[in-house]
Amino acid sequence: MRIITISREFGSGGRELGKRLADQLGYAYYDREIIAAIAERSHLDSGYVENALERPVWQAPLPTFRHSFTTASLFQTEQLNLLLEQRKVLEDIAKKGQDCVIVGRNADIVLAEYGPLSLFVCADLEAKLRRCRERASQEENLTDRQILQKIKSIDKNRAKVREMITGSPWGDRTAYQLIINTTGWDIRQLTPAIADFARRWFDRGQ
Amino acid sequence: MRIITISREFGSGGRELGKRLADQLGYAYYDREIIAAIAERSHLDSGYVENALERPVWQAPLPTFRHSFTTASLFQTEQLNLLLEQRKVLEDIAKKGQDCVIVGRNADIVLAEYGPLSLFVCADLEAKLRRCRERASQEENLTDRQILQKIKSIDKNRAKVREMITGSPWGDRTAYQLIINTTGWDIRQLTPAIADFARRWFDRGQ
């Protein structure tokens, strides 16, 4: 079984690359399906699950009096439970034994024993801003300043969650086989090069 | 003209990858030739030039009395002159107009206007140690501990020189199109994947 994991900066096109890689290689593709599965197992709303998993545990609101202290602790316990559920969902995916691409969720760490090909996708701030602008839906009418704030805030949280789980910084180069900067690329043109790299990685030494 | 620049951690196989890429793509290859050219232009010994260029300017010996202060200043002036000569040598290479691979020397920064494909090559410490052990010549009989010290010291200096020139950290992911972790690869098997990536990069949008 061949697993490709993709960590990515928000707006870098990592999700599009993952989807196209899966199509090109004929692999299964997992992304939002994971959140949906965790939500189902936990009997929670998937929006709530996504939000809880993207926030580092220690960023729960600071307790100011007894009642909110209890609330904060409950929230943290639930986050840890969700992380455990996430681990189970990822392990279930791996146990299916199909070749697959998994985007996000620190799957490279959780599924390390399966020897995934671990990719990290990044881009210049300018390129990420452009991509976010292009894909923004009509109802979501953010200014450039608001988009930049969103990029920074999401990535900051991803970095903290990663650090909490692995103890090493997000985007640390030795944690990945390849760090791909999508600046200047059309993802459609980039995909075959990464697919080729992946095939050679899995076939190496044979 | 197509220029591929390679920055690399000591022992990561970056030089071997550069040489093989040049062979495979039919590009010219520049590495130690650059040091030799600087030495010739400066009427200095190439060992001396290499050593001076690998040491960050501010690491010159600290002055303890008037005479050594003068010596330190002279050394720093000479280092800056060598950096200028290095720039000229790199520009001469680019002006030849041939496709080429250039290893080290922060060529991606100096030749930025030529739009080089900028690669960074890294590896796990364990993998770098193994590579250094394998390529060590008979007369150079270093213990593992000594090799590790050498790896750390050379990379620390490379990082400082890079930071001095660019103002941003060495191995900063947004400064490169691709960061390649050679751990687990035979460089011969890796080369075609990177050559393919390079062809697609230079042909993109055409």
Side-chain angles (χ1 to χ4, degrees):
Chain A
M1 179 188 32
R2 297 164 171 210
I3 300 178
I4 300 177
T5 61
I6 299 189
S7 303
R8 78 290 182 213
E9 292 177 357
F10 185 75
S12 66
R15 178 177 287 173
E16 182 185 343
L17 177 62
K19 187 83 192 69
R20 290 187 183 278
L21 266 182
D23 286 349
Q24 187 148 347
L25 294 166
Y27 287 15
Y29 173 77
Y30 295 100
D31 173 10
R32 311 196 72 84
E33 299 79 357
I34 300 169
I35 294 288
I38 300 168
E40 205 185 316
R41 291 173 75 120
S42 321
H43 308 287
L44 288 167
D45 172 72
S46 60
Y48 176 85
V49 169
E50 186 170 18
N51 179 40
L53 283 173
E54 290 266 328
R55 271 208 282 170
V57 169
W58 59 76
Q59 276 210 333
L62 277 176
T64 47
F65 57 93
R66 190 177 302 251
H67 180 67
S68 65
F69 178 76
T70 317
T71 314
S73 300
L74 276 177
F75 184 71
Q76 291 190 355
T77 309
E78 191 162 78
Q79 271 190 310
L80 291 174
N81 282 335
L82 289 175
L83 281 174
L84 285 174
E85 289 301 329
Q86 175 171 286
R87 173 175 288 272
K88 285 183 202 153
V89 169
L90 289 172
E91 279 165 356
D92 283 353
I93 289 172
K95 278 179 197 145
K96 284 187 189 167
Q98 334 159 271
D99 298 338
C100 62
V101 174
I102 305 176
V103 174
R105 321 258 61 94
N106 292 298
D108 57 323
I109 302 299
V110 179
L111 303 179
E113 63 181 299
Y114 295 90
L117 171 64
S118 171
L119 308 179
F120 186 95
V121 183
C122 65
D124 291 1
L125 204 52
E126 187 64 32
K128 291 190 285 190
L129 182 62
R130 202 175 320 119
R131 186 177 300 275
C132 288
R133 246 192 257 124
E134 283 164 8
R135 78 179 175 198
S137 54
Q138 298 291 8
E139 65 266 38
E140 193 189 15
N141 230 333
L142 300 181
T143 63
D144 280 4
R145 199 192 158 91
Q146 287 170 320
I147 296 176
L148 282 175
Q149 275 175 345
K150 193 175 169 186
I151 291 174
K152 279 183 190 161
S153 143
I154 290 181
D155 281 355
K156 199 172 152 195
N157 281 343
R158 284 183 184 165
K160 281 194 180 161
V161 172
R162 176 94 189 173
E163 214 174 305
M164 187 186 79
I165 294 177
T166 65
S168 61
W170 188 59
D172 168 29
R173 59 180 178 259
T174 58
Y176 309 94
Q177 265 82 44
L178 205 60
I179 299 183
I180 305 148
N181 184 344
T182 60
T183 310
W185 276 106
D186 177 333
I187 303 287
R188 269 170 302 193
Q189 292 185 309
L190 171 63
T191 307
I194 306 303
D196 183 54
F197 180 92
R199 280 191 210 99
R200 289 179 193 274
W201 169 259
F202 289 118
D203 290 339
R204 77 195 190 285
Q206 287 182 355
Chain B
M1 179 187 33
R2 298 165 169 210
I3 300 178
I4 300 177
T5 60
I6 298 187
S7 303
R8 78 287 183 214
E9 292 175 359
F10 186 74
S12 65
R15 179 178 286 173
E16 183 184 343
L17 177 62
K19 187 81 191 71
R20 289 187 184 278
L21 267 181
D23 285 349
Q24 188 149 345
L25 294 165
Y27 287 16
Y29 174 77
Y30 296 99
D31 173 11
R32 311 196 72 82
E33 298 79 0
I34 300 170
I35 295 288
I38 300 168
E40 206 185 315
R41 291 172 74 119
S42 322
H43 308 287
L44 288 166
D45 173 72
S46 59
Y48 176 84
V49 169
E50 185 169 19
N51 178 42
L53 284 173
E54 290 266 326
R55 272 207 282 169
V57 169
W58 59 77
Q59 276 209 334
L62 278 175
T64 47
F65 56 94
R66 189 178 300 253
H67 180 68
S68 65
F69 177 76
T70 316
T71 314
S73 299
L74 276 177
F75 184 71
Q76 292 190 354
T77 309
E78 191 161 78
Q79 272 190 307
L80 291 173
N81 282 335
L82 289 175
L83 280 174
L84 286 175
E85 289 299 330
Q86 175 170 286
R87 174 174 286 273
K88 285 182 202 155
V89 169
L90 289 171
E91 280 166 356
D92 282 351
I93 289 173
K95 278 179 198 148
K96 282 186 192 169
Q98 332 160 271
D99 299 338
C100 61
V101 174
I102 305 176
V103 175
R105 322 260 59 97
N106 292 299
D108 56 324
I109 302 299
V110 178
L111 303 179
E113 63 181 299
Y114 295 90
L117 170 64
S118 170
L119 309 178
F120 187 93
V121 183
C122 65
D124 291 359
L125 204 52
E126 187 65 30
K128 291 189 284 190
L129 182 62
R130 202 176 321 119
R131 186 177 299 276
C132 288
R133 247 192 255 121
E134 283 164 9
R135 78 178 174 198
S137 54
Q138 297 291 6
E139 65 266 35
E140 193 188 15
N141 230 331
L142 300 180
T143 63
D144 281 4
R145 199 191 159 90
Q146 286 170 319
I147 295 176
L148 282 175
Q149 276 176 343
K150 192 175 169 185
I151 291 174
K152 280 183 189 161
S153 144
I154 289 180
D155 281 355
K156 200 172 152 193
N157 281 344
R158 284 183 185 165
K160 281 193 180 162
V161 172
R162 176 94 187 173
E163 214 175 305
M164 186 186 79
I165 293 177
T166 66
S168 61
W170 188 58
D172 169 30
R173 58 180 177 259
T174 58
Y176 309 94
Q177 266 83 43
L178 205 60
I179 299 183
I180 306 148
N181 184 343
T182 60
T183 310
W185 277 105
D186 177 332
I187 303 286
R188 270 168 302 192
Q189 292 185 308
L190 170 62
T191 307
I194 306 303
D196 183 53
F197 180 93
R199 278 191 211 98
R200 289 178 193 274
W201 169 260
F202 289 118
D203 290 340
R204 77 194 191 285
Q206 287 183 354

